[in-house]
């Protein structure tokens, strides 16, 4: 374990107070409608998010925000923060990212203070999307971009695999197999995002987006998204 890895492991741990356990990113709706029933289906679903969906965009936004902090580019940071909210394409997706993002900023300010958090508040006084919040802290604490992207992507997938286990889509062992199977995709997605600009944003994971929309009106729910 290196000094670089340790803050990321702490911040992206389930014990860090952002409430990630409360969100399924639409998996609950997909399970309810029968779109997700087993480990291969879950791996395909999450792989689409990594390569073509919300995680792809989050990694690009993360990289742009991280570089803006390092460059002292308040305008660029504000643009990334604004776009991150605009790309939350349903009420619950926005709730998911801003609740975690705002909680992360508050926790970092209280326990891991750095000047970049104050720079974020000055550049963008509104709600903060989760990937932007983590990127600002990582950059402010001098953590290198690529390991930060890899850690963020792994935490995203691990949280959704945990949600899938709680929903009964997979068991714990199959959940770990899914996570291990996605590891190469996570590495390549992080590497592609490292130098990406905002004009690279875009997604086409329509079934996931529709599942998130359906979840808003689902009668019985375990999760907030």
């Amino acid at each position: 374990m290196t000094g670089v890895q340790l803050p990321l492991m702490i911040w992206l741990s389930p014990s860090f107070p952002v409430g990630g356990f409360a969100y399924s990113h639409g998996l609950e709706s997909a399970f309810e409608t029968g779109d997700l029933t087993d480990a291969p289906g879950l791996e395909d679903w999450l792989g689409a998010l990594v390569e073509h969906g919300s995680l792809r965009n989050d990694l690009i936004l993360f990289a742009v925000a991280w570089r803006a902090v390092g460059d002292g580019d308040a305008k660029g940071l504000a643009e990334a923060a604004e776009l991150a909210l605009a790309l939350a394409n349903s009420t619950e997706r926005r709730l998911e990212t801003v609740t975690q993002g705002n909680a992360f900023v508050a926790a970092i300010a209280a326990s891991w203070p750095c000047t970049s958090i104050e720079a974020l508040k000055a550049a963008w006084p509104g709600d903060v999307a989760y990937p932007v919040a983590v990127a600002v802290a990582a950059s402010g604490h001098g953590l290198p971009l690529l390991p930060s992207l890899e850690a963020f992507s792994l935490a995203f997938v691990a949280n959704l695999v945990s949600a899938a286990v709680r929903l009964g889509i997979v068991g714990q062992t199959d959940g770990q197999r899914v996570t291990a199977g996605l590891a190469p995709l996570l590495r390549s997605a992080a590497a592609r995002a490292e130098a990406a600009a905002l004009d690279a944003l875009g997604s086409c994971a329509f079934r996931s987006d529709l599942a998130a929309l359906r979840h808003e009106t689902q009668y019985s729910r375990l999760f907030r998204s």
Side-chain angles (χ1 to χ4, degrees), residues 39 42 161 165 170-180:
L42 177 65
V161 167
V165 170
V170 294
Q172 291 184 340
T173 300
D174 274 343
Q176 290 305 308
R177 291 193 183 105
V178 168
T179 303

Side-chain angles (χ1 to χ4, degrees), residues 41-84:
L42 177 65
E43 186 168 342
D44 286 345
W45 187 280
L46 297 182
L49 294 181
V50 173
E51 294 195 295
H52 310 294
S54 54
L55 181 59
R56 177 184 183 277
N57 281 341
D58 280 355
L59 292 178
I60 293 170
L61 291 161
F62 188 117
V64 171
W66 185 95
R67 292 195 299 268
V69 169
D71 294 339
D73 181 5
K75 182 179 178 181
L77 181 57
E79 185 178 8
E82 183 177 20
L83 266 175

